[in-house]
Amino acid sequence: MQFPKLTPLQSRFAASCAASLILVILYLAFSKPHFAYALDADSIEHSDHNHPLIIDLNDHGGGSQLLVFDEDESTQGYVPDFPSIGRSITGRAPNDPQQSPLANNVPGIGDISMGDAQYWVFPSSALYGPLSTETPRVPSARKRELGADEQDHLELKRRHQGDRTLYLTLNVCNQPSPVEGDPDHPPPQLKLFVSTNPSNQFPGDNSGTIQNPNPTVDGGWSEFQIETSSDVYIGIEAQTDSSFQGTYNYEITASIDDYYTFSEGSNFLQNIASDDRAGSLTFYTTNETSGTLFGMFVHNQGDVMMQAVSRSYCGMKNIALIQGNLGDGDRGNVSVLGSQTIPGAPIQQFFVDGLNSSSSYVAFMAIASNYSSAGSGNVNGGGTIWQSVQFNTTNDINCRVIYNISTCPGFSYKVPANSNNSTADLISFYNNMTFTNFQPFKYALQQIPCDTEDSAQYSLAANCTDCMVNYTRWFCTVQMPMCESIFINGTSSHARNVNSPFPDNTSLSSDFLASLPQKNAVKSLNFNRSRNTDIDGGIAPGPYNEILPCPDLCYGLVRGCSSAMGFSCPLTTPLLWYSYGEDPATCNNAGIPSGSSVLRVPSMVLLYGVVGVFMII
């Protein structure tokens, strides 16, 4: 039989059909396909009544759902299974009773004996939970804020990798006590271990933990950041020391938002002055943070037990001798003063009383939270503590720190005093004196055409507001001279009242008077009275050294005010250095150390102590 002759197109079609048929036959021969039949669901009977029917429904998106049917219960549910969330923790508590779960921003509180170990876990189900609601944040010097592009890039990177950042913090709140007497060393620090390996759920010294290096615990505090998509296992070990007994109390906190506690390594404080009784803390802030109240801790410098928790907010709350404006637990004689303002910055002041003279202390600036809400469940709810500053109290009997002078807001340093008067009496005297002596200038300024058009102002570079500010700084510095012990002679010091008795009726010896660097000081009127004679009559401080004002205060006054007011500065060198400090590094710059950033950066801290006076630099 002769086959019909096919065209080239028909030949190719026939060959394709034949090849396809052969592939179908091979598929059927080597596989066992399952076919679905359109039957009624009720016609299929599940014959095994002892086990539920489990159906795996793939969603083709990287995850699946397990539908569980139980004929006896007539209920159904599903257990999610996602690639970034382990099934080991989802829907159940840890199997091992030694392992405790952590929740986001909620501290896990533990008591651990020396030589023991405890374990915690932060499950991946919580790792991928919702972020906490944002509350107003207090600007911190700790971290640089990311720009919008950087934040978007970081978020895309995390989504691509499937990881999330977990922030861990450890704070030691209480520690073992010495077996006897005062210890010569602090208790050993706790050890913190972190693992994301399911085969190492109890990380420790001998477990081969995968995090290298492990977080370091210093001053009773540690922080650790990890990028992960799995459960995070945490181990805490307490070392042994025969010199101590008892237990550690600690807080371990995990957060997907931010660190629960901060320990700032920066030193924001600088010692300005000290007296023998009390001091004040002044915080210079900006409008952005003017509604936030900062607090402080003060403690004996030599206490080794304090050194072991010096970076832990809860540790310092428990051990500090003095705590002010930090909520529950405030102790010691700490007064929170009304806010005042100096040029360029609103400030908030504290006054601390009851410290010992000739003693060494450390002061810490602190805040209960970097956000508007504090405590468990809040982002950074565990508090922030800054690096400490050491200061020494003095044994002066005629120089004392004052504060809250209405005419001179923001001025707080040591002034001539008398140990027979209380601090309240001293403040009242300087308040009344400065208020009375300031009035003539206010009347004189009213004679200057201030409220007029710019072309009629006395200067294109300054106005009456500038005049008021510059005069106030100069006036307060000369009306309230900065006081230092007569026995401490600096480059900007000027001896006063050298022939007068001290408040305890003792006097300077003839040998000391002869050793004064200024010739004929005993006979000179300038060395036998105060710059402001009202002080000699109302206070009678006796001999002291005045830290002379900086000459820039006088120059600023002349530049800022109208020439019609007749202000001028001494021109001849001897007369100038009798009235103003020659050394710009040590002269009195309105109570602020020369070269400080206080007049340039409106975000700083001052601590005045019997403290001393401290400031952010």
Side-chain angles (χ1 to χ4, degrees):
M1 178 179 179
Q2 186 177 3
F3 292 97
K5 186 177 182 180
L6 301 177
T7 65
L9 179 61
Q10 291 173 330
S11 300
R12 287 194 293 271
F13 177 75
S16 298
C17 289
S20 299
L21 181 60
I22 293 173
L23 289 175
V24 170
I25 293 172
L26 291 175
Y27 170 75
L28 295 175
F30 292 101
S31 66
K32 296 180 180 180
H34 299 278
F35 298 97
Y37 298 91
L39 298 179
D40 243 334
D42 291 338
S43 67
I44 301 177
E45 181 178 1
H46 178 54
S47 59
D48 187 355
H49 297 279
N50 296 319
H51 299 85
L53 179 64
I54 301 178
I55 303 177
D56 190 353
L57 300 180
N58 292 321
D59 63 0
H60 303 288
S64 63
Q65 294 180 350
L66 299 180
L67 297 186
V68 182
F69 297 87
D70 193 329
E71 293 179 340
D72 294 332
E73 300 296 335
S74 68
T75 60
Q76 69 179 38
Y78 76 93
V79 180
D81 183 20
F82 300 101
S84 59
I85 301 182
R87 292 286 305 282
S88 61
I89 298 299
T90 304
R92 65 175 181 85
N95 287 327
D96 198 306
Q98 293 178 328
Q99 198 178 57
S100 303
L102 290 172
N104 188 39
N105 292 313
V106 178
I109 300 175
D111 293 298
I112 184 172
S113 300
M114 304 185 78
D116 288 349
Q118 293 180 353
Y119 304 97
W120 302 80
V121 60
F122 190 80
S124 55
S125 57
L127 185 67
Y128 284 87
L131 297 175
S132 299
T133 303
E134 291 188 2
T135 56
R137 179 179 175 86
V138 177
S140 171
R142 174 186 176 82
K143 298 169 66 177
R144 177 181 65 88
E145 296 295 334
L146 295 178
D149 292 341
E150 291 177 294
Q151 291 177 340
D152 292 341
H153 174 74
L154 183 60
E155 183 63 24
L156 288 173
K157 180 180 177 182
R158 290 175 179 170
R159 289 179 183 177
H160 175 71
Q161 295 177 341
D163 290 347
R164 227 179 188 180
T165 303
L166 184 67
Y167 305 90
L168 296 174
T169 52
L170 172 68
N171 286 270
V172 176
C173 302
N174 283 300
Q175 53 194 336
S177 56
V179 174
E180 59 181 18
D182 295 328
D184 58 0
H185 64 281
Q189 296 288 310
L190 292 179
K191 286 188 174 183
L192 175 63
F193 302 90
V194 181
S195 170
T196 56
N197 188 344
S199 64
N200 184 19
Q201 298 187 20
F202 302 94
D205 263 333
N206 301 318
S207 68
T209 178
I210 63 173
Q211 299 302 330
N212 187 23
N214 282 300
T216 300
V217 182
D218 178 44
W221 174 85
S222 181
E223 67 175 17
F224 190 72
Q225 176 179 327
I226 185 172
E227 302 282 340
T228 184
S229 60
S230 61
D231 303 332
V232 179
Y233 308 100
I234 303 165
I236 296 175
E237 294 182 359
Q239 305 177 71
T240 59
D241 189 323
S242 59
S243 300
F244 298 90
Q245 60 186 357
T247 61
Y248 293 88
N249 174 262
Y250 67 88
E251 293 179 350
I252 180 71
T253 313
S255 173
I256 60 176
D257 302 286
D258 202 351
Y259 291 108
Y260 184 71
T261 60
F262 285 125
S263 175
E264 299 285 5
S266 301
N267 186 341
F268 287 90
L269 304 176
Q270 176 183 343
N271 188 11
I272 294 178
S274 300
D275 68 21
D276 66 334
R277 292 189 181 183
S280 65
L281 176 82
T282 304
F283 179 68
Y284 289 71
T285 180
T286 64
N287 292 333
E288 188 175 12
T289 62
S290 59
T292 301
L293 296 180
F294 285 73
M296 69 171 178
F297 300 113
V298 177
H299 196 76
N300 293 325
Q301 182 189 15
D303 185 0
V304 296
M305 299 297 289
M306 178 274 299
Q307 296 170 10
V309 292
S310 60
R311 301 187 67 187
S312 169
Y313 182 86
C314 68
M316 287 304 300
K317 278 185 70 72
N318 288 328
I319 200 172
L321 293 175
I322 295 176
Q323 171 187 308
N325 207 47
L326 292 171
D328 295 339
D330 281 0
R331 52 191 173 273
N333 192 359
V334 180
S335 302
V336 180
L337 311 178
S339 296
Q340 303 179 33
T341 302
I342 66 169
I347 65 173
Q348 175 192 322
Q349 292 183 319
F350 301 81
F351 188 78
V352 187
D353 203 354
L355 300 183
N356 298 322
S357 63
S358 302
S359 300
S360 296
Y361 292 90
V362 285
F364 304 78
M365 188 180 73
I367 187 172
S369 174
N370 274 358
Y371 292 83
S372 59
S373 299
S376 177
N378 294 291
V379 181
N380 191 220
T384 299
I385 187 170
W386 278 261
Q387 184 177 331
S388 66
V389 170
Q390 183 267 335
F391 63 93
N392 300 312
T393 59
T394 68
N395 60 355
D396 295 341
I397 61 174
N398 60 347
C399 293
R400 192 174 304 163
V401 175
I402 63 170
Y403 60 93
N404 213 17
I405 305 301
S406 58
T407 306
C408 304
F411 281 71
S412 185
Y413 51 77
K414 288 193 300 183
V415 296
N418 190 310
S419 57
N420 296 319
N421 296 329
S422 66
T423 300
D425 291 340
L426 190 66
I427 292 174
S428 176
F429 169 80
Y430 281 99
N431 250 326
N432 294 333
M433 180 189 67
T434 54
F435 177 82
T436 300
N437 294 343
F438 194 77
Q439 296 306 307
F441 168 76
K442 294 178 67 176
Y443 298 147
L445 189 61
Q446 292 174 3
Q447 310 305 313
I448 304 299
C450 297
D451 299 326
T452 184
E453 56 187 16
D454 292 343
S455 59
Q457 293 278 359
Y458 62 84
S459 171
L460 296 177
N463 54 37
C464 290
T465 300
D466 299 318
C467 181
M468 174 66 77
V469 169
N470 284 282
Y471 181 84
T472 300
R473 296 185 68 228
W474 173 85
F475 169 84
C476 294
T477 305
V478 298
Q479 286 286 296
M480 302 188 304
M482 182 178 285
C483 181
E484 188 58 89
S485 170
I486 188 66
F487 303 107
I488 300 176
N489 188 38
T491 54
S492 293
S493 300
H494 190 294
R496 303 288 189 184
N497 294 337
V498 295
N499 283 320
S500 300
F502 287 103
D504 61 359
N505 290 323
T506 60
S507 300
L508 295 173
S509 66
S510 56
D511 290 341
F512 180 83
L513 292 173
S515 67
L516 289 175
Q518 298 90 351
K519 295 182 179 180
N520 301 319
V522 177
K523 299 179 180 179
S524 172
L525 180 63
N526 202 32
F527 292 90
N528 279 282
R529 68 177 185 183
S530 295
R531 177 191 295 266
N532 181 353
T533 56
D534 290 342
I535 295 174
D536 297 334
I539 298 296
Y544 67 92
N545 267 322
E546 177 188 352
I547 308 301
L548 295 174
C550 295
D552 283 347
L553 295 173
C554 184
Y555 301 149
L557 170 62
V558 174
R559 289 193 301 265
C561 294
S562 170
S563 59
M565 303 187 78
F567 293 124
S568 62
C569 299
L571 298 178
T572 59
T573 300
L575 183 60
L576 176 65
W577 302 138
Y578 275 135
S579 301
Y580 295 94
E582 185 173 358
D583 186 356
T586 59
C587 59
N588 179 11
N589 186 22
I592 302 166
S594 298
S596 167
S597 60
V598 65
L599 297 180
R600 300 189 300 271
V601 181
S603 179
M604 54 204 65
V605 175
L606 289 178
L607 174 63
Y608 297 81
V610 194
V611 115
V613 187
F614 303 90
M615 114 170 32
I616 287 186
I617 56 174

